[in-house]
Amino acid sequence: MSAWLLPAATAAWWAGLLVGFGPARTWVPWAPALLGVAALVSAVVAAPAIRRWDPVREAGLVPVDRRPAHVIDRVSPPRRSSGGPIVAVTALMLGGVAATGVCWALVDAQRVRSSALAASTPDRVEAELTLREDPRPGALGWHALADVRLVRSSDGSAGSLRETVWLAGDEQPPD
């Protein structure tokens, strides 16, 4: 693996996430997945390869141990396919990694939109939750993770669920 391949894949992944949470928010998740698969297939096709085919051996005309190497190289020299590595790597990064990032963002956004807590907005709800960690002060207030177990809406209906939420506030952390 080249030294630049991992940073390029990371950049493509984050670009895909930014596109998925940004302008592609209205797309259905299977559209970038289909484009990603097409780009991955294109990357495989475009990748250069050295192909060796020995017609003399395939025909069984010369015993394997008696063929001189220079004869084989004259009859069947190794051939490089006409693929370009830049095209293959570009298709791999854009198709495989960036499209996967877009799909990840779209699936996550759909999960959030279809959650029970999102369905209850803008109503007032009461939630029983368990803190995973104590509230921590940050640069802009405080934050904590919590697991929601029970939600009661303003009309009196209640439901149990298993969701993790991010709690944050602008003031001092609560006790």
Side-chain angles (χ1 to χ4, degrees), residues 10 15-16 31 47 74 88 106 118-120 128 141 160:
T10 304
R74 260 192 217 156
L106 292 175
S120 64
E128 288 183 19
S160 66

Side-chain angles (χ1 to χ4, degrees), residues 1-112:
M1 178 185 278
S2 299
W4 57 268
L5 196 55
L6 183 60
T10 304
W13 171 258
W14 281 103
L17 285 178
L18 290 173
V19 168
F21 283 122
R25 212 177 290 171
T26 59
W27 296 358
V28 290
W30 59 264
L34 189 64
L35 290 173
V37 168
L40 285 175
V41 169
S42 300
V44 169
V45 170
I50 296 175
R51 297 190 174 108
R52 294 185 183 270
W53 182 63
D54 185 2
V56 175
R57 180 176 165 207
E58 294 293 322
L61 298 175
V62 179
V64 176
D65 57 344
R66 294 197 180 177
R67 283 182 288 165
H70 66 280
V71 172
I72 294 172
D73 286 340
R74 260 192 217 156
V75 173
S76 175
R79 283 181 258 147
R80 183 170 280 275
S81 69
S82 60
I86 295 195
V87 172
V89 170
T90 302
L92 176 69
M93 290 302 149
L94 291 178
V97 181
T100 304
V102 172
C103 290
W104 184 285
L106 292 175
V107 167
D108 185 61
Q110 178 61 34
R111 184 190 68 81
V112 170

